Amino acid sequence: MVKDNAELNRAETLNRWRLILGESSEEGLSNADDYSPDDFKYTEVDEILGYLYNREYGEEQGYRKGGGRGSSDLTVPKWLHKVRELFPKSTIEILEKQALDRYGLTELLTDKKLLESLEPNMNLLKNIMQFKGRMKGDVLKSAKKIVSVVVEELRRKLESQTKASIMGKRSRYASSSVRSLRNLNFKQTITKNLKNYDKNNRRFVIDRLYFDGNIQSHNKWDIIIGVDESGSMLDSVIYSSVMASIFYRLNALRTKLFIFDTQVVDLSDRLEDPVDVLMNVQLGGGTHITKALRYGETLIENPGKTIYILVSDLEEGYPIQHMYKACKDILDTGCKLLVLTALDFNGDTVYNKHAAQTLSNMCAHVAAITPNELADWIGEIIT
């Protein structure tokens, strides 16, 4: 029995090496004792992986540029069906992502049935945004439904903390059931307990503590968000749109949103539906940050209670000194200017560091932050 197990383990090891090294390794492996190509147990898995990853190689190496090798009759629909049969969900997502991002299997996004069979997730949302210009009719309708599912899940995850961060302003006119030192109203507690003052011992006898409650601000703050829609800012575009939609629903804030490349598109009247916002984004093209900043400047009504958020990699396509001047003018009005080189949970950002430092020296706040950190930052300002 021990010998049989050892042989089985050895055969399994050889099979795994064959799967890793590919068909070209068969000759070398067949020289091993008790192994031949007919013993390969993962033929179907090899065919599925080969259909995708053999695209790494050219015809001079014996591979067809269009797909897998040999006489495989796999098509994209068959391949996707087999992937879902053979692999766990986490692996499926990786294969789908690489099929779209790395190997350009855009049929996954232009065939309605294939598109609907994909797992709704952040990566699929990003691919839909990149390829939506090629979608028509029923395919586009299906894409919007997928975007809606992903965006709604994202909104739910972010909304509760955003509300807690921004709507946590203390009220001295309403008591709270939440009892902590942080919201203890010392003045009211002392005033209400003056009748219990012990003159003999010269101390207060506190029979009740009073705590502040939470209210929505009646003197609203204005949030102006300008988002660079260049291709490198895709994640930030998504999170900015969702966060703007959340801000829009909060009574403490008046929110305006516009996107820009070399032109500016105001989407403030669409903030009720972040899906509509995202489907209007056109990725790529040039960048005219100065033009966008000047447009946002026209939206400022009450500078002392305005937070101006610029989401951009700061790669200006026009004379950059004009961008600096626009930022200085905005700061001089009394606005809070926050420049986000990234707004996502990845923390990866590529941006013009010299421009970022220049704006920081002007007293603009410059950072790459998460959506939750943005909510906390705004909450600190308006409280």
Side-chain angles (χ1 to χ4, degrees):
M1 179 65 70
V2 173
K3 182 178 179 181
D4 289 343
N5 284 338
E7 289 177 350
L8 288 172
N9 290 337
R10 185 170 180 276
E12 178 70 11
T13 300
L14 286 170
N15 267 278
R16 288 176 180 274
W17 275 113
R18 162 64 178 79
L19 188 61
I20 292 169
L21 298 174
E23 188 176 352
S24 59
S25 67
E26 284 179 357
E27 183 177 348
L29 291 174
S30 65
N31 293 329
D33 294 339
D34 303 322
Y35 178 87
S36 72
D38 293 335
D39 297 323
F40 184 47
K41 297 190 300 182
Y42 302 121
T43 302
E44 193 170 26
V45 172
D46 184 55
E47 182 181 24
I48 295 303
L49 296 176
Y51 182 80
L52 184 64
Y53 294 113
N54 287 345
R55 297 163 193 271
E56 291 282 347
Y57 306 99
E59 293 180 349
E60 69 278 1
Q61 295 163 296
Y63 294 86
R64 297 182 306 168
K65 286 183 177 292
R69 294 178 288 155
S71 58
S72 171
D73 61 351
L74 277 177
T75 61
V76 172
K78 287 182 180 179
W79 174 81
L80 186 60
H81 177 71
K82 287 293 185 181
V83 164
R84 293 181 175 277
E85 279 187 348
L86 296 171
F87 298 102
K89 182 178 177 180
S90 58
T91 305
I92 292 169
E93 289 187 3
I94 292 172
L95 290 172
E96 288 178 355
K97 181 178 189 301
Q98 294 195 345
L100 287 164
D101 294 351
R102 189 166 181 174
Y103 302 111
L105 294 187
T106 55
E107 189 177 343
L108 292 170
L109 297 179
T110 55
D111 182 293
K112 182 177 183 291
K113 289 184 178 180
L114 281 177
L115 178 60
E116 292 176 346
S117 70
L118 297 176
E119 184 71 23
N121 53 40
M122 189 67 165
N123 180 69
L124 182 56
L125 169 57
K126 290 192 284 187
N127 276 289
I128 287 173
M129 289 185 64
Q130 289 175 311
F131 292 101
K132 61 185 170 62
R134 297 174 56 176
M135 298 177 181
K136 307 294 180 185
D138 289 342
V139 176
L140 186 58
K141 290 180 182 178
S142 295
K144 286 183 177 179
K145 290 179 181 178
I146 292 172
V147 172
S148 180
V149 169
V150 180
V151 167
E152 180 58 25
E153 182 180 353
L154 184 60
R155 186 192 61 78
R156 283 199 307 268
K157 288 180 179 179
L158 295 172
E159 190 167 43
S160 59
Q161 180 167 339
T162 299
K163 285 183 176 180
S165 297
I166 294 177
M167 304 305 291
K169 190 171 183 179
R170 302 199 305 174
S171 166
R172 301 193 180 279
Y173 307 101
S175 61
S176 172
S177 59
V178 179
R179 295 170 173 260
S180 69
L181 183 61
R182 182 178 180 183
N183 69 334
L184 176 64
N185 189 322
F186 289 95
K187 183 177 180 180
Q188 188 177 22
T189 297
I190 293 172
T191 301
K192 294 288 187 179
N193 287 283
L194 281 174
K195 64 182 184 297
N196 300 322
Y197 183 68
D198 185 342
K199 294 182 178 179
N200 294 329
N201 295 312
R202 302 181 65 182
R203 65 186 178 90
F204 281 106
V205 177
I206 306 296
D207 62 7
R208 180 181 174 183
L209 298 173
Y210 292 83
F211 297 87
D212 294 329
N214 295 324
I215 62 166
Q216 296 177 354
S217 173
H218 294 288
N219 190 6
K220 294 186 179 183
W221 278 75
D222 293 326
I223 305 290
I224 299 171
I225 307 174
V227 186
D228 182 345
E229 61 175 353
S230 60
S232 63
M233 298 298 295
L234 179 53
D235 283 36
S236 297
V237 169
I238 293 171
Y239 283 108
S240 297
S241 300
V242 173
M243 292 300 287
S245 177
I246 294 172
F247 295 156
Y248 174 79
R249 301 180 188 198
L250 301 181
N251 290 336
L253 304 175
R254 282 190 298 258
T255 306
K256 297 184 183 298
L257 172 72
F258 61 89
I259 57 177
F260 66 91
D261 45 30
T262 55
Q263 301 298 319
V264 178
V265 179
D266 195 318
L267 298 174
S268 302
D269 60 346
R270 303 188 184 191
L271 287 176
E272 189 71 39
D273 183 6
V275 175
D276 193 21
V277 172
L278 289 174
M279 296 306 285
N280 275 277
V281 172
Q282 300 294 329
L283 298 168
T287 307
H288 199 338
I289 301 175
T290 304
K291 184 175 184 178
L293 287 166
R294 292 300 186 188
Y295 174 79
E297 192 176 8
T298 67
L299 303 178
I300 299 172
E301 296 178 4
N302 184 359
K305 295 188 73 67
T306 298
I307 300 172
Y308 194 134
I309 302 171
L310 172 67
V311 185
S312 175
D313 58 11
L314 300 177
E315 293 295 348
E316 172 65 294
Y318 294 79
I320 200 165
Q321 62 269 23
H322 296 164
M323 182 186 81
Y324 297 146
K325 179 63 166 61
C327 287
K328 184 177 186 305
D329 289 346
I330 290 168
L331 286 165
D332 285 347
T333 67
C335 277
K336 304 286 187 181
L337 177 60
L338 175 60
V339 179
L340 299 182
T341 56
L343 179 66
D344 58 46
F345 284 100
N346 295 325
D348 301 325
T349 178
V350 178
Y351 60 96
N352 186 327
K353 291 181 172 55
H354 181 267
Q357 185 61 58
T358 301
L359 295 179
S360 181
N361 293 342
M362 292 181 186
C363 296
H365 299 267
V366 183
I369 62 178
T370 68
N372 291 336
E373 289 170 335
L374 173 60
D376 289 342
W377 190 84
I378 291 175
E380 287 295 322
I381 289 176
I382 71 173
T383 300

